[in-house]
Each structure stands twice: as structure tokens, then as C-alpha cells.
Amino acid sequence: MMSKKVTITDVASTAGVSVATVSLVLSGKGRISQATSARVNQAIEQLGFVRNRQASSLRGGESGVIGLIVRDICEPFYAEMTAGLSEMFEAQGKVIFLLQSGATGKGLERCFDTLLTHGVDGIVIAGGIQHVNHSLREKAAAQGVPLICASRSGGSEGVDLVRPDNMQAAKIATEYLIRHGHKQIAYLGGLGSSLTRAERLGGFCATLLQYGLPFRSEWIIECDYHYGHAADAAESLLRRYPKISAIVCHKASVALGAYFGVLRTGNQVAGSSMDNLFQRQVALIGIEDSPELALTEPPLTSVSSSAREIGYAAARRLLLRIGGQNLETQDIIVNASIVERGSA
Amino acid sequence: MMSKKVTITDVASTAGVSVATVSLVLSGKGRISQATSARVNQAIEQLGFVRNRQASSLRGGESGVIGLIVRDICEPFYAEMTAGLSEMFEAQGKVIFLLQSGATGKGLERCFDTLLTHGVDGIVIAGGIQHVNHSLREKAAAQGVPLICASRSGGSEGVDLVRPDNMQAAKIATEYLIRHGHKQIAYLGGLGSSLTRAERLGGFCATLLQYGLPFRSEWIIECDYHYGHAADAAESLLRRYPKISAIVCHKASVALGAYFGVLRTGNQVAGSSMDNLFQRQVALIGIEDSPELALTEPPLTSVSSSAREIGYAAARRLLLRIGGQNLETQDIIVNASIVERGSA
DNA sequence: CTGAAAGCGCTAACAA
DNA sequence: TTGTTAGCGCTTTCAG
């Protein structure tokens, strides 16, 4: 079946050179003559040699492996971020270990140890960053493994943190509506306890005030992420305050719910292809993007720092640290940008 | 900063034993006395020793690493499957390399080589299995690395394939509706070219016939995955054939669209909390589950082989192969089951 | 029950 | 430009 795993030594002998030479052509370091290089490559081809990276990292330097601990890969935000990380690292010839921590700190610690044991060059922690405590950071430092966090909202110290700019996102959304002539704007969704919501709401209010628009607390509605609830909330809001012409939605699922809520009131979502003079148009804009938002008619505009972008930023930062730079820890805030789809 | 990476030798000397002994307590193999074992463990603790798995796999056997190549981690199906794989492997103390192949075969091959070079114990290919060709299989065999595919629908040979039972899922959905008294059942969604759809439709038809119900081709509607389109299709279908009392939806997004389509006709989705004698109730059941389906009111019932379950099955199979069993290649078909939520 | 010693496959000095 | 040689950190016979 499998014929004795071919090693660098085999390659060396069939190419008629020394192992060192083979190693050199493999890593492209020493200046090797075209002739030998070709001979070696041919031998490699012929024997079907595959280099053993475990052995090479054992001796020399980097393993070319990055550890990624994510709370739950099924959450679209983290999936997308993972895609971003993976893209960027693969471009550098690195590969990623994926571990799921689950919600508990215990899980995080276990994952962390596993990664260290496997000799990763660096670790990204995505989500659950509140569990990144001192002992964890110590451990990473002791092993000389750079550590970096990525998250949906703030709250860590002593570690680089990459996160979206919630405030700016809300600001952009609100500004966009105002620029399109809206003056009666509501904010829908999220629960009062959410830090992320606080940040977004801050951006919303600030922007209203900046443009001299009234800030009405009755137009700021809490609701959870269920479509049905968001739809109900949007419907009752619009029925009660018919003047409202636009809604900033706290997150993608809320925007989707609001979409159906608007339809229920007998009005149209702005940008609808079926113009109708008898129907009022309500503009909708979501914060956080999601592929689902493209599935409605009209598709829904949103503002977000793409999770993928956060992945890129985190990857870049980690690469810098792995590069040996001795950097201050810092928060890296990824800008939001608008995805225009027509609903605002 | 980092104090000279502590090795097994350091542990040995501070514990006053030989490296071999330390190795033995680490792997729990040789029968070591309680006393020395304790002494060693204490030294490990004290020094903050972390075992280097690269070194151990170099010498001995397995690396404890599984390679996973997935077409696109952002697709919820694959994300969920990945979660399943990761869970199962982590329970075995194994860790997974995650690579994204993208849609092209070229990507797959590159990923494959990367994994081999990193010395994985086995490889799972999820999606894009049509690119798993002979050369790939050869290469895996040559390295003695077991290979296994997981996918949403059939179509590979010479490799173990784990996949959902589309036909059975449709059968269960249809049967469920029939058992609940429905006789006028439509099938909505999917495009004619889809293999998956063909399988599901097969189950649908077979079940209707089995129960002596009429099979009406006008009640089988193609449409893509956009909510809006599914809603339109459902609406026009119901307006045209008011007798239809239930719809089997080809996939989650179609079910969601259909949900809103039903509402647009002025009818209710079955199970709605607001009973109203003047409204007809239309039952809805989806194939493939998705968290979104829980967000409507009433939440939508669906039938599916959970992607997670497929992940588990794939992991189990791969572990078997890694265990050295010499098995015939086989298709492993994961049963579908119903997630009752109220809409049917 | 424990220690000594020989590698696993590869890289990195140093020689040649 | 290439070969020699000494390890990387760990496991594993084989003796004690």
C-alpha cells in the first residue's frame, strides 16, 4: 500500500546530492545551481516526496500554523470572519487550526492549551473575549506566542483587539437617511442591556442632533432578534406615528422583520419596484450586513464593518506580531461602510 | 520575555528522573510508580512545561490533526457540519485544520497538498467533491492518509461519502402533512437542474402515490432561493388553487418566503396563535433546517438531516479509518428527522 | 519500575 | 556551490 514514506534522504540519493542541498532547494535559500536544482526537483516529482513540516518546524522556526478559537462557527459573523482570516493566512502560506470554545471560559482555556501544545505561531480569539484573562495572556507570553482578539464589541485589555466601529456604523446609516431627505427617523431593535446597542444608539442620536433633528425617545424601540417581534414592533410604531419615514434597524434580522412589518401596515418599503402613489414609502436601513438582506424585494440596504474585513485586519495584525515587532497593544477599529441595495 | 522554552529534559532534571520517565508519565504508558509520577507532574506544573506535539508525532505515530477542506465556511450548511466535525474530533483530543478550497478544483488540490505536508492523520472534504479525482485519491493513499467526503448530495466514487437522505426527508415531510389530514399538497422551490431537488421531488411524489393522493404537476413550482420570489410563487399558487392546504418547501429560504406569501394572500400559516375562523390555514413544512425558521410566528416546521449529524457521521467514519481498519468504501446516508415547530 | 541511547525528518552552521 | 555534521524535543527499544 504505502511504500515507506519517502524522505529528504531518498530524494538526495536519487538526485545524487546531499540532504542539505535538497533542503536548500526546498526552502529556496542557499544559491543552488540551476542544474542541481532541476535534478532535485525531478527526483522529488519522481518519488512523490512530500516535505514534513513538523520536522522542519521542530528544528528551525515557524510552524506556519495559526490557531483560531471561535465561540461558535455557526454564527454567521464568526463564519465570515473566519473566512477572512483563512484567506489572508493562506495567502501567506499559513494554515489555521480551528477550535470552538463554546460559551464558557473553561473551553477557552482548554483550546488555548491545545493550540500551544501544537506549536502554533500565533493565536486569534474570536468572541468570548471576556474570558481572556491575565493567566491566559501570561501563558501566551511565556511561550512567545502572540495573541490577538477579534470581536463584535469592545471590552478587553492587555491584548490587541480588532472590532467594528458600531458608533460610526450607526452614524453612517443615519446620515445616509438624512441626506436622502428623511427627517422623521426611528431606531428599532436590540435590547437595553446590549453594549453594542448602546454604541450604535449613541451614533444615531449624535447624528440626529448634529443635523438639528428632533430626538424622540418614543421612536427608539427595543425588541429582540425574532422576525415576528421586529415586524410587530415596526408595525405598531408606524401605525402610531405615521410621520415616521425611515427606520434604522439595529441588526440584520430586525431589518428583515421590519421589512415585513412595513408591508403589513399597507405601506411600501422605499425602492420597491411597484410604485404606487397611494402608498407611503418607508425607508429601511440595517446595521450589520447579512446575505439574507439581498433576498427581499427591494433588497435591504445596510451599513456594517464586514466581518471579513475584521478577519483581514486581525490577520494582518497577527502577522505583524509574528514578524517579531514589539508593538504596543492597541484596539483596531474597522470602519463601517454602506451596502446600498435600494431600501433607503 | 520568553525564558528559553522548557523541554522534557528540564522537567526530567528538576524532577530528578530521566527524560524517558517523563515521556512515560506524559503518555501514561509504562507503569510508573505513583511517587515519581507525582514528582514529575509537579515539576511540569512548576516549570509551566508544554509538550511539543510536533516533536512527538515526528518520532512516533499520529499527529492528532485532521484536515478539513470546505468549499466555503460561510455557507451555513458547511459551518454547521464543521461544528459537528470539530465537536467529535475535539472529544477525541484531535484538532482540525480548516482550509477553504473555493469552488475550483485547483484550490482543492492546493489545500490537499498543504494538509499532507502538515502531516494530518486524515482528511475530510466537504463540498466540491466532484473535484475529488483519481490523482487525489492516489496521493492520499500513497501517504497513508485516509480520505472521506461529506456533501449535500451524491456523486463521488472510490471514496467514502457521507450525505443526507434527500428522498427520505421529502417523504417524511409529505407523510407528516398527510397524517395531519392534508390532501392537497404542493411542492415549492428549487430549480429543475438540481440533483438535490430531483431526489426530494422523488420522495414527494412517491409518498403522494403511496397514499393514493393525486399528483398534480401544476402544483410543483420551480423557484430560486430568494425570499421575494418564493413569496411571489406561493402567493400566486395559492390564489390560483385555493384548495391547496399545505406546501412542502424545497429549502429553508423558500419556506420563509412562502410564509410571507401565505400572509399576503390574507390567509394564515397553520399553527398561528391568532385563530381566526374566517381565514384559511395553510400548512408549511421545509426541507433543510435553519435557525431562521424559528424566528417567524408561528415558527416553521422542517425536516432535515442536520448538517451537524453529517459532521458527526463523517468524523466517526474517518476515526474508524484512522484506526487502521481496512474498510470498503461506502456511502453513508444520514437519516432525516423532523423538527416540529408548529407550522404544519 | 527506571535509565541510556538511538533515532524520527529536517535545518543550519560550518567546511570543503 | 555543495557536503558534513550536529542537533530540534520527543518516543522507544533494550538494559539495568
Side-chain angles (χ1 to χ4, degrees), chain B residues 132-203:
Chain B
V132 179
N133 54 31
H134 187 68
S135 109
L136 226 57
R137 278 179 273 135
E138 284 281 280
K139 216 186 293 184
Q143 298 298 313
V145 176
L147 184 59
I148 191 170
C149 293
S151 166
R152 228 182 308 217
S153 62
S156 76
E157 52 186 38
V159 195
D160 287 340
L161 172 64
V162 181
R163 63 188 180 81
D165 191 336
N166 285 309
M167 191 146 179
Q168 185 212 18
K171 191 175 165 53
I172 290 176
T174 313
E175 212 154 30
Y176 185 86
L177 293 172
I178 294 172
R179 292 250 171 85
H180 282 67
H182 294 278
K183 290 184 160 33
Q184 319 287 341
I185 308 174
Y187 187 99
L188 176 65
L191 297 177
S193 56
S194 149
L195 177 55
T196 305
R197 181 176 192 257
E199 294 176 2
R200 292 180 184 167
L201 218 35

Side-chain angles (χ1 to χ4, degrees), chain B residues 15-299:
Chain B
V17 296
S18 79
V19 291
T21 307
V22 176
S23 177
L24 289 180
V25 323
L26 244 36
S27 57
K29 281 188 176 167
R31 300 149 303 264
I32 301 289
S33 72
Q34 283 296 322
T36 33
S37 181
R39 208 136 40 83
V40 169
N41 279 124
Q42 196 215 313
I44 287 176
E45 190 75 18
Q46 179 189 322
L47 272 55
F49 166 74
V50 282
R51 187 190 197 170
N52 180 336
R53 291 213 52 155
Q54 323 216 80
S56 32
S57 38
L58 179 55
R59 183 67 221 268
E62 306 181 350
S63 63
V65 181
I66 303 292
L68 169 61
I69 303 178
V70 63
R71 196 174 22 157
D72 177 6
I73 189 69
C74 296
E75 272 190 54
F77 181 85
Y78 293 118
E80 178 103 21
M81 202 176 91
T82 300
L85 285 161
S86 140
E87 246 177 70
M88 182 112 306
F89 284 128
E90 279 183 44
Q92 304 290 315
K94 298 196 184 297
V95 65
I96 76 184
F97 269 141
L98 175 69
L99 290 179
Q100 293 196 87
S101 61
T104 73
K106 193 64 203 148
L108 217 194
E109 191 133 5
R110 206 174 29 71
C111 292
F112 201 80
D113 291 341
T114 306
L115 289 177
L116 289 182
T117 240
H118 277 281
V120 295
D121 293 336
I123 294 180
V124 179
I125 296 181
I129 61 170
Q130 65 276 19
H131 296 114
V132 179
N133 54 31
H134 187 68
S135 109
L136 226 57
R137 278 179 273 135
E138 284 281 280
K139 216 186 293 184
Q143 298 298 313
V145 176
L147 184 59
I148 191 170
C149 293
S151 166
R152 228 182 308 217
S153 62
S156 76
E157 52 186 38
V159 195
D160 287 340
L161 172 64
V162 181
R163 63 188 180 81
D165 191 336
N166 285 309
M167 191 146 179
Q168 185 212 18
K171 191 175 165 53
I172 290 176
T174 313
E175 212 154 30
Y176 185 86
L177 293 172
I178 294 172
R179 292 250 171 85
H180 282 67
H182 294 278
K183 290 184 160 33
Q184 319 287 341
I185 308 174
Y187 187 99
L188 176 65
L191 297 177
S193 56
S194 149
L195 177 55
T196 305
R197 181 176 192 257
E199 294 176 2
R200 292 180 184 167
L201 218 35
F204 173 72
C205 296
T207 311
L208 286 185
L209 295 176
Q210 177 188 338
Y211 282 85
L213 291 177
F215 166 74
R216 304 185 52 174
S217 59
E218 326 83 86
W219 289 6
I220 296 178
I221 311 289
E222 281 187 48
C223 80
D224 65 22
Y225 50 85
H226 284 83
Y227 299 156
H229 300 162
D232 292 346
E235 182 179 1
S236 75
L237 180 70
L238 291 172
R239 288 200 192 286
R240 191 142 161 201
Y241 304 102
K243 291 171 60 181
I244 291 173
S245 71
I247 304 177
V248 175
C249 301
H250 178 63
K251 57 187 294 180
S253 63
V254 170
L256 220 45
Y259 168 81
F260 293 108
V262 170
L263 297 187
R264 279 198 218 154
T265 64
N267 293 303
Q268 284 190 335
V269 171
S272 171
S273 53
M274 299 176 280
D275 260 340
N276 182 331
L277 290 175
F278 300 102
Q279 290 186 306
R280 190 158 48 103
Q281 300 235 333
V282 178
L284 246 34
I285 192 166
I287 301 182
E288 280 186 9
D289 194 43
S290 157
E292 304 170 344
L293 297 184
L295 300 182
T296 56
E297 172 47 44

Side-chain angles (χ1 to χ4, degrees), chain A residues 79-323:
Chain A
E80 178 103 20
M81 202 176 91
T82 300
L85 285 161
S86 142
E87 244 177 73
M88 183 114 302
F89 284 129
E90 279 183 43
Q92 305 288 317
K94 299 196 183 297
V95 65
I96 76 185
F97 269 142
L98 175 69
L99 290 180
Q100 293 194 87
S101 61
T104 73
K106 192 66 204 145
L108 217 195
E109 190 134 7
R110 207 174 28 71
C111 292
F112 201 79
D113 291 342
T114 307
L115 289 177
L116 289 182
T117 240
H118 276 281
V120 296
D121 294 336
I123 295 180
V124 180
I125 296 183
I129 60 170
Q130 64 277 21
H131 296 114
V132 179
N133 54 31
H134 187 67
S135 109
L136 225 59
R137 277 179 274 135
E138 283 282 279
K139 216 185 295 184
Q143 298 298 313
V145 176
L147 183 60
I148 191 170
C149 294
S151 166
R152 226 180 309 213
S153 62
S156 77
E157 51 185 39
V159 195
D160 287 339
L161 171 64
V162 182
R163 62 188 179 83
D165 191 336
N166 285 309
M167 191 145 179
Q168 185 212 18
K171 191 177 164 53
I172 291 176
T174 313
E175 210 154 33
Y176 185 85
L177 293 173
I178 294 173
R179 292 251 171 84
H180 281 66
H182 294 279
K183 291 184 162 31
Q184 318 287 340
I185 308 174
Y187 188 99
L188 177 65
L191 296 177
S193 56
S194 149
L195 176 55
T196 305
R197 181 176 191 256
E199 293 175 2
R200 292 180 185 166
L201 218 35
F204 173 71
C205 296
T207 310
L208 287 185
L209 295 177
Q210 178 187 336
Y211 282 86
L213 292 177
F215 165 72
R216 304 185 51 176
S217 59
E218 327 83 85
W219 290 5
I220 295 178
I221 310 289
E222 280 187 48
C223 80
D224 67 19
Y225 50 84
H226 284 83
Y227 298 158
H229 298 162
D232 292 346
E235 182 179 1
S236 75
L237 180 70
L238 290 171
R239 286 201 193 286
R240 191 143 161 201
Y241 304 102
K243 291 171 61 182
I244 290 173
S245 71
I247 303 177
V248 175
C249 300
H250 178 63
K251 57 187 293 183
S253 64
V254 169
L256 220 44
Y259 168 82
F260 293 109
V262 170
L263 297 187
R264 279 199 218 151
T265 63
N267 294 304
Q268 284 191 335
V269 171
S272 171
S273 53
M274 298 177 281
D275 261 339
N276 182 331
L277 291 177
F278 299 102
Q279 289 186 305
R280 191 157 47 103
Q281 299 235 336
V282 178
L284 245 36
I285 191 164
I287 301 181
E288 280 187 9
D289 195 43
S290 156
E292 304 169 346
L293 297 183
L295 299 182
T296 55
E297 173 47 44
L300 304 178
T301 293
S302 73
V303 173
S304 77
S305 321
S306 91
R308 195 170 289 258
E309 212 58 60
I310 293 176
Y312 292 151
R316 273 193 298 266
R317 181 72 182 176
L318 189 56
L319 288 170
L320 230 59
R321 281 211 179 277
I322 291 174

